Amino acid sequence: GSSSTGGLAGYLAKTCPTSWTFGDCSLCPWPTTAGFTAVQGSPGMQAHIKDTTFSIGYLDAGHGHDFNLPEVSIPNKNGKTRTSLEAMALGGVAFAGAQAVATAVFPFDASADWSAVNLYNMPGDITWPIVLVSYLYVKKDQTATNPKTAAALKAFILRILNNHAGVVEEFGFTAPPTSVKTQTLAAAATIVYPTGMTSFVEEDETNPIGGMATNVISSKRIAFDDYQHDIMAAQILTLQATVSGLTGNGGITTQLHGSGTTNPKNWFAKAMRFMEDRSRMPMVLTYRAVGSGTGQQ
């Protein structure tokens, strides 16, 4: 996808600008000669490498690890050479984030200009040299948003930032270290929500009475499709068609829709699915994986 291309190009532009002359690009002028195949997005690259003998390509680590694709070892700034899988096992991706906070690479002000921020070639023996960060672009003033939708937005943001249930690692991502998490939660706390909004709360430990409230997303609330999804597939499709015909915030269903980069789509989808299944209040949450370039527009 465009974020993977931008990450590779940004790293090459920073570490070997005399050899890589295309700069920091997400739409790079790739060769059109025989033997070079253009593909669409990370899934396209994933499939091409998997199905084409001796092919060489690039994509984010999670997509490569999903198919157990072999990868090259890359030296980091301290001269330590490892694959991304080896670096991740040592905590090298999270360490790059911690270094970014310690050296003020990450602006403390979430509303500042982040266009030049990157985690390419951060110092450290265990650091992986090409680290990309998934950002949430959120309008700070949510006071005009429907209170139920605003509450769903807040719950989703906190679920992602807190890595509730450790879902992020399931999709090849790395949870941020404590220093990054603290900074992002502080930024999220500056969002202004509607007056009188009732926030969702998580029920992990049994709350016999309070757990029945309409604003509770409960790990105790189990949907049948959690253990027999295939049997419920047809019913779910019918339900989705019914829900799509409901009148958004004016009806009985709370809706939250967003779009952005492709890489975290499965992670976001699972987080949204969990909220839909565990909420007593009917909710529909969707995410369009349109690529980071489109998602910023």
Side-chain angles (χ1 to χ4, degrees):
S2 55
S3 58
S4 298
T5 300
L8 176 66
Y11 167 74
L12 293 174
K14 183 174 183 177
T15 56
C16 49
T18 57
S19 299
W20 175 263
T21 58
F22 298 149
D24 187 353
C25 56
S26 58
L27 293 174
C28 304
W30 298 115
T32 57
T33 56
F36 186 90
T37 303
V39 297
Q40 180 65 43
S42 296
M45 180 68 79
Q46 185 185 48
H48 181 76
I49 296 174
K50 174 180 173 290
D51 298 334
T52 307
T53 305
F54 304 126
S55 60
I56 299 174
Y58 66 91
L59 72 169
D60 65 280
H63 280 99
H65 298 164
D66 284 346
F67 281 66
N68 296 315
L69 299 176
E71 55 177 325
V72 298
S73 298
I74 301 177
N76 63 16
K77 190 171 184 178
N78 286 29
K80 305 297 183 181
T81 301
R82 298 185 180 91
T83 65
S84 66
L85 197 61
E86 293 167 342
M88 289 171 69
L90 295 172
V93 172
F95 188 73
Q99 289 285 82
V101 173
T103 59
V105 170
F106 283 153
F108 185 76
D109 181 2
S111 61
D113 182 1
W114 287 63
S115 60
V117 175
N118 66 73
L119 301 189
Y120 307 137
N121 225 27
M122 297 296 290
D125 281 352
I126 64 172
T127 304
W128 177 245
I130 312 177
V131 175
L132 303 183
V133 181
S134 293
Y135 297 96
L136 294 175
Y137 290 88
V138 182
K139 183 180 179 181
K140 188 173 181 179
D141 184 1
Q142 295 288 333
T143 54
T145 304
N146 179 281
K148 292 181 180 180
T149 296
L153 173 65
K154 181 179 179 181
F156 175 73
I157 291 172
L158 294 178
R159 173 169 284 272
I160 293 300
L161 296 185
N162 286 306
N163 189 24
H164 195 272
V167 174
V168 61
E169 290 86 357
E170 184 178 340
F171 298 100
F173 286 80
T174 297
T178 300
S179 57
V180 175
K181 179 180 176 180
T182 299
Q183 186 166 325
T184 54
L185 287 173
T190 66
I191 300 172
V192 183
Y193 293 101
T195 301
M197 180 191 79
T198 300
S199 297
F200 285 95
V201 295
E202 302 275 359
E203 183 192 24
D204 294 319
E205 299 297 328
T206 302
N207 183 346
I209 304 301
M212 286 297 295
T214 58
N215 67 318
V216 175
I217 298 173
S218 176
S219 61
K220 309 298 179 180
R221 185 172 288 116
I222 303 299
F224 184 62
D225 62 308
D226 283 341
Y227 61 91
Q228 206 169 12
H229 174 72
D230 290 342
I231 292 178
M232 289 195 65
Q235 291 93 324
I236 291 173
L237 289 174
T238 301
L239 178 61
Q240 288 175 333
T242 302
V243 169
S244 66
L246 296 175
T247 304
N249 294 317
I252 63 172
T253 301
T254 296
Q255 298 189 29
L256 176 65
H257 307 285
S259 60
T261 183
T262 302
N263 291 343
K265 62 182 173 58
N266 294 328
W267 166 26
F268 284 5
K270 184 160 185 175
M272 290 176 170
R273 174 73 172 276
F274 189 98
M275 290 176 63
E276 291 173 343
D277 285 347
R278 302 314 200 262
S279 173
R280 179 180 171 185
M281 181 187 302
M283 301 174 67
V284 175
L285 292 78
T286 67
Y287 180 77
R288 291 176 61 241
V290 295
S292 55
T294 302
Q296 294 178 30
Q297 297 177 5

